[in-house]
């Protein structure tokens, strides 16, 4: 999500910035910009669209003289992709330029405060707050202004900053967004990721949270959040460019799975304030929420599976009837949509043809629509009455992982909010749920750290022909996604079944050694699923079970058990899916498949 590059040295900066940004294109972006100090003032160029547009606009950077500058590729979050919203952002008199990667979570509050003090905002971005806040705190000492801003902003950020009054240095800081500093031969660089600097140096400093770097042409100094000098050691990068783009991971899918703790945090944190859920973009009054009579969830692929999960939550918690449809069915079945209905369209890309058509169908019938979308400014985001964004960042691997996790979180938030507003969930109960929700990122991280055990197990199944996933309730929804992941990337036939339905046909396919993945995280259904496990095992199945910590009695009936940490029963999908993603991933790797680009599949299905 967004790319930052900065250079200060002996060479012309702009061509180096463009070159560095081109190495960050994989991160996804929809506009780009640069600010370069020319010896007198800070010049700026911005362009919506591909980097090539900015390249052509500046003749490959040649038309921007100066040896110090910052560049940015923006993946829109706050505000649509446009020249105005593209970075860099400036204070009023253009003496401070800022590029930013991340989300300033308290920007609304800060913007109000700054507006009250007379600051005028040009863009819709959260980033512009940083430029004006720096201006507000700057009294001649840039380091002091930077540390003050760090104390005021909440959320995630990597920043590159130029102060016109201190043109011989560039400042850079980070918190929860990536940032590295490179010591080059002709000058020094900052970047969001290593590939951007590899052409110039392999000598790199990894900036830790709340650390500040000050770069001049010859020197690099580091400070802590209080502005005190700190020592850092550089590392020599041994990776090649390809590996570096994936942050050292072998595949984008592995990288994206590992980004899930962050994705969940980013989607959740800005919307939880003092034990309340605040979804500003929902734009619905409590009365309107109370008036919802029915929810239709419409989506495709994994997004549809998140809807299957949230049906249980909306119905269980908020007691609102929910219908879930795959979009390609919904659009042609002449759906009955009655007044008081809310249509939820869930889509990572925001461009899936069937989901878009379903949205239009709902609008045609005059029904209010809410998009849960990852790509800002995409068709579904633009056309839905309201949009709630998942802050997962660009997803490159065709098989979704982090966007799926973010979609779940967005729906948990909605369901809990609706339940609370409709009087079905007290403030105390909601606070307890939110407490559990906040633990999810660390719990996901813990499960990801267990990858070697899953890898060993997965290696035993690379020759499998059929795999069955079973579960009940939310566990059935998890099974659907686990099964889809496996077939998508490993080409092994797999099916997900509601465990209780097995006896009506599928159990005839169980043979000696057939792998059955049984998901059993719902306490009230545990015994029932256990019976189904026994049934398949009696017929020769090898059972891999995913269940909650403490359910050790399952070990008597399952051959291989994966435990997930305790959480609220409605959140188990967020945890149980992690080992299933890892399992699919390692089977695919073991088989030598093209993990990130499986055959016949596309990331964004823009035809029906
Ligand atoms: C494709 C992708 C899936 C995704 C589905 C829906 O099949 O491979 O990962 O879940 O499309 O895409 P959307 O962008 O609408 O979420």
């Amino acid at each position: 999500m967004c790319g930052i590059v900065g250079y200060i040295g002996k060479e012309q900066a702009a061509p180096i910035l463009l070159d560095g940004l081109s190495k960050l294109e994989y991160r996804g972006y929809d506009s780009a910009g640069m600010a370069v100090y020319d010896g007198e003032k800070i010049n700026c160029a911005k362009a919506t669209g591909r980097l090539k547009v900015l390249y052509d606009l500046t003749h490959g950077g040649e038309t921007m003289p100066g040896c110090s500058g910052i560049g940015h590729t923006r993946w829109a979050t706050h505000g649509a992709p446009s020249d105005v919203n593209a970075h860099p952002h400036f204070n009023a008199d253009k003496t401070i330029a800022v590029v930013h990667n991340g989300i300033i979570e308290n920007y609304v509050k800060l913007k109000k405060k700054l507006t009250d003090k007379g600051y005028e905002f040009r863009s819709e971005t959260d980033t512009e707050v940083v430029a004006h806040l720096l201006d507000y705190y700057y009294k001649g000492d840039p380091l002091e202004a930077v540390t003050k801003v760090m104390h005021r902003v909440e959320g995630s950020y990597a920043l590159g900053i130029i102060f016109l009054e201190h043109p011989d240095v560039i400042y850079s800081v980070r918190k929860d967004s990536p940032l590295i500093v490179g010591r080059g031969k002709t000058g020094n660089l900052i970047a969001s990721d290593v590939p951007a600097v590899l052409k110039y140096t392999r000598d790199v400093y990894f900036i830790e949270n709340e650390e500040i770097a000050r770069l001049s042409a010859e020197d690099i100094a580091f400070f802590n959040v209080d502005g005190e000098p700190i020592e850092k050691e550089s590392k020599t990068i041994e990776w090649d460019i390809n590996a570096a783009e994936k942050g050292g991971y072998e595949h984008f899918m592995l990288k994206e799975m590992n980004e899930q703790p962050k994705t969940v945090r980013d989607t959740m944190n800005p919307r939880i304030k003092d034990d309340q859920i605040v979804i500003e973009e929902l734009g619905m009054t409590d009365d309107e929420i109370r008036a919802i009579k029915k929810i239709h969830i419409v989506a495709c692929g994994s997004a549809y599976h998140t809807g299957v999960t949230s049906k249980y939550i909306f119905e269980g918690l908020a007691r609102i009837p929910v219908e879930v449809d795959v979009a390609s069915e919904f659009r042609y079945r002449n759906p009955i949509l009655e007044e008081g209905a809310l249509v939820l369209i869930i889509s990572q890309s925001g461009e899936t043809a069937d989901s878009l058509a379903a949205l239009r169908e709902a609008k045609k019938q005059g029904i209010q629509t809410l998009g849960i979308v990852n790509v800002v400014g995409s068709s579904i985001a633009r056309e839905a009455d309201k949009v709630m964004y998942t802050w997962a960042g660009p997803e490159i691997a065709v098989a979704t992982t982090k966007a799926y996790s973010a979609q779940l979180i967005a729906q948990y938030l909605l369901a809990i909010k609706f339940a609370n507003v409709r009087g079905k969930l007290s403030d105390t109960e909601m606070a307890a749920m939110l407490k559990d929700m906040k633990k999810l990122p660390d719990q996901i991280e813990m499960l990801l750290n267990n990858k070697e055990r899953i890898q060993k197990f997965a290696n035993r199944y690379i020759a499998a022909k059929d795999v069955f996933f079973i579960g009940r309730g939310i566990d059935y929804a998890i099974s659907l996604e686990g099964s889809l992941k496996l077939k998508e990337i490993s080409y092994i036939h797999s099916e997900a079944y509601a465990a209780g339905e097995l006896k009506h046909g599928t159990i005839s396919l169980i043979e000696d050694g057939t792998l059955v993945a049984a998901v059993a995280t719902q306490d009230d259904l545990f015994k029932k699923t256990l019976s189904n496990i026994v049934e398949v095992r009696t017929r020769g199945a090898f059972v891999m079970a995913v269940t909650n910590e403490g359910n050790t009695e399952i070990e008597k009936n399952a051959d291989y058990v994966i435990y997930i940490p305790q959480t609220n029963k409605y959140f188990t999908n967020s945890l149980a899916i992690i080992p299933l993603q890892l399992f699919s991933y390692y089977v695919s790797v073991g088989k030598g498949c093209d993990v990130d680009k499986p055959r016949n599949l596309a990331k964004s299905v823009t035809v029906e």
Side-chain angles (χ1 to χ4, degrees):
M1 194 191 261
C2 300
I4 289 179
V5 181
Y7 172 83
I8 181 159
K10 297 194 182 87
E11 293 181 57
Q12 189 178 358
I16 295 175
L17 299 179
L18 284 168
D19 178 65
L21 291 175
S22 74
K23 303 295 187 313
L24 299 179
E25 282 193 290
Y26 75 89
R27 297 170 68 84
Y29 68 99
D30 33 50
S31 59
M34 297 187 284
V36 178
Y37 171 67
D38 70 359
E40 255 179 52
K41 58 188 182 313
I42 304 172
N43 294 311
C44 177
K46 297 180 182 187
T48 310
R50 308 308 295 165
L51 196 57
K52 175 87 171 56
V53 186
L54 183 66
Y55 187 93
D56 290 347
L57 183 75
T58 60
H59 294 245
E62 290 306 320
T63 58
M64 293 186 87
C67 300
S68 157
I70 47 180
H72 189 263
T73 43
R74 172 174 186 254
W75 196 79
T77 58
H78 297 67
S82 68
D83 287 4
V84 175
N85 289 331
H87 300 208
H89 290 283
F90 289 84
N91 60 341
D93 57 8
K94 289 197 125 198
T95 54
I96 300 172
V98 178
V99 289
H100 167 220
N101 168 20
I103 295 174
I104 305 297
E105 289 171 5
N106 58 341
Y107 85 101
V108 175
K109 201 164 124 201
L110 292 173
K111 190 169 179 173
K112 161 120 195 8
K113 195 174 157 199
L114 288 161
T115 309
D116 289 348
K117 292 193 184 301
Y119 283 89
E120 281 178 25
F121 283 76
R122 289 172 283 247
S123 75
E124 301 159 87
T125 64
D126 50 333
T127 306
E128 197 180 341
V129 159
V130 178
H132 294 306
L133 204 57
L134 280 167
D135 180 278
Y136 177 70
Y137 285 125
Y138 178 66
K139 305 277 179 278
D141 179 354
L143 187 59
E144 190 190 349
V146 169
T147 56
K148 282 191 171 155
V149 166
M150 288 168 79
H151 281 111
R152 287 309 305 275
V153 297
E154 290 163 18
S156 58
Y157 52 82
L159 300 168
I161 310 163
I162 302 181
F163 291 85
L164 183 62
E165 287 185 11
H166 300 265
D168 49 347
V169 285
I170 291 177
Y171 282 87
S172 198
V173 304
R174 72 156 276 207
K175 180 174 163 269
D176 294 332
S177 287
L179 182 72
I180 57 120
V181 168
R183 189 183 284 282
K185 284 202 176 58
T186 68
N188 295 316
L189 302 108
I190 59 167
S192 299
D193 201 354
V194 172
V197 305
L198 274 188
K199 192 164 157 186
Y200 311 97
T201 181
R202 288 186 169 269
D203 194 11
V204 162
Y205 297 88
F206 288 89
I207 308 302
E208 301 297 335
N209 267 351
E210 305 203 313
E211 289 181 350
I212 305 167
R214 186 181 64 201
L215 286 69
S216 64
E218 289 85 26
D219 195 26
I220 305 171
F222 300 101
F223 305 90
N224 65 17
V225 69
D226 297 317
E228 295 156 353
I230 51 170
E231 295 292 324
K232 287 189 74 72
E233 274 185 28
S234 65
K235 300 222 159 39
T236 307
I237 301 296
E238 314 280 2
W239 319 325
D240 63 18
I241 292 258
N242 275 341
E245 277 193 2
K246 295 175 189 136
Y249 290 104
E250 205 179 330
H251 298 102
F252 280 111
M253 183 177 172
L254 185 60
K255 177 171 182 272
E256 287 159 5
M257 283 192 286
N258 277 286
E259 284 169 355
Q260 288 178 110
K262 178 176 185 312
T263 293
V264 165
R265 250 181 229 117
D266 285 350
T267 303
M268 172 174 71
N269 286 358
R271 290 160 173 143
I272 300 179
K273 286 174 191 138
D274 306 326
D275 284 341
Q276 292 291 320
I277 296 173
V278 184
I279 310 173
E280 273 152 15
E281 60 273 45
L282 192 60
M284 273 182 154
T285 63
D286 287 358
D287 280 345
E288 283 166 340
I289 292 174
R290 279 189 280 268
I292 297 171
K293 291 206 175 69
K294 187 170 187 178
I295 298 175
H296 294 264
I297 303 179
V298 189
C300 299
S302 300
Y304 165 76
H305 295 158
T306 68
V308 178
T309 301
S310 73
K311 172 182 165 72
Y312 292 103
I313 313 180
F314 279 114
E315 292 191 339
L317 272 185
R319 306 304 295 156
I320 307 175
V322 177
E323 267 188 56
V324 197
D325 277 83
V326 282
S328 52
E329 288 296 315
F330 179 88
R331 62 183 291 195
Y332 292 121
R333 78 169 165 86
N334 195 9
I336 302 167
L337 303 174
E338 291 178 337
E339 212 188 312
L342 171 69
V343 172
L344 262 185
I345 306 281
I346 304 162
S347 176
Q348 186 284 129
S349 62
E351 300 295 347
T352 303
D354 285 319
S355 304
L356 184 58
L359 167 73
R360 289 178 180 156
E361 173 63 31
K363 287 185 79 179
K364 201 168 85 192
Q365 295 198 31
I367 302 299
Q368 57 177 337
T369 55
L370 169 65
I372 295 185
V373 179
N374 196 40
V375 177
V376 174
S378 56
S379 303
I380 295 173
R382 288 198 313 273
E383 293 189 29
D385 297 321
K386 298 279 161 29
V387 196
M388 182 175 175
Y389 284 112
T390 49
W391 303 124
E395 200 175 51
I396 313 283
V398 166
T400 179
T401 52
K402 63 173 182 169
Y404 170 87
S405 283
Q407 287 164 353
L408 284 175
I409 295 294
Q411 288 167 89
Y412 297 166
L413 290 168
L414 272 182
I416 297 171
K417 169 136 192 108
F418 285 6
N420 179 251
V421 170
R422 293 164 74 102
K424 306 284 184 205
L425 188 74
S426 69
D427 280 356
T428 320
E429 288 164 328
M430 179 164 74
M433 286 193 83
L434 295 180
K435 200 169 157 209
D436 276 343
M437 236 175 123
K438 286 185 189 156
K439 287 185 197 152
L440 289 175
D442 289 342
Q443 293 174 327
I444 292 172
E445 186 122 42
M446 216 186 81
L447 289 161
L448 287 164
N449 289 340
N450 201 15
K451 56 182 174 303
E452 274 160 28
R453 179 169 176 251
I454 311 257
Q455 181 173 17
K456 274 195 204 126
F457 180 71
N459 282 338
R460 289 162 53 186
Y461 279 91
I462 54 179
K465 288 219 162 40
D466 303 288
V467 178
F468 296 92
F469 289 74
I470 58 169
R472 289 167 180 257
I474 284 181
D475 293 335
Y476 170 54
I478 302 170
S479 302
L480 286 170
E481 178 61 7
S483 167
L484 179 66
K485 283 282 91 68
L486 184 68
K487 73 174 77 143
E488 273 183 310
I489 59 172
S490 75
Y491 317 139
I492 292 175
H493 166 251
S494 87
E495 283 183 51
Y497 257 79
E501 184 68 8
L502 264 183
K503 283 205 267 303
H504 298 284
T506 308
I507 202 160
S508 67
L509 298 172
I510 305 293
E511 293 175 353
D512 225 17
T514 306
L515 179 62
V516 173
V519 186
T521 69
Q522 301 296 299
D523 286 344
D524 50 342
L525 298 167
F526 183 74
K527 289 247 157 14
K528 302 277 171 206
T529 307
L530 206 57
S531 305
N532 300 125
I533 291 176
V534 173
E535 283 160 12
V536 292
R537 207 154 169 251
T538 315
R539 286 157 182 84
F542 186 95
V543 174
M544 161 170 100
V546 182
T547 191
N548 306 329
E549 261 167 22
N551 285 345
T552 46
E553 70 173 288
I554 208 165
E555 290 185 20
K556 284 189 229 122
N557 298 304
D559 302 281
Y560 181 85
V561 182
I562 299 163
Y563 291 104
I564 60 162
Q566 292 289 345
T567 186
N568 183 285
K569 67 172 181 178
Y570 290 117
F571 304 154
T572 58
N573 190 344
S574 293
L575 302 179
I577 198 60
I578 305 297
L580 299 183
Q581 291 171 345
L582 288 167
F583 173 71
S584 303
Y585 171 76
Y586 284 117
V587 171
S588 176
V589 171
K591 286 186 73 171
C593 300
D594 189 348
V595 178
D596 287 334
K597 291 195 207 82
R599 70 184 180 209
N600 304 340
L601 297 179
K603 182 76 189 153
S604 182
V605 182
T606 51
V607 289
E608 71 168 295

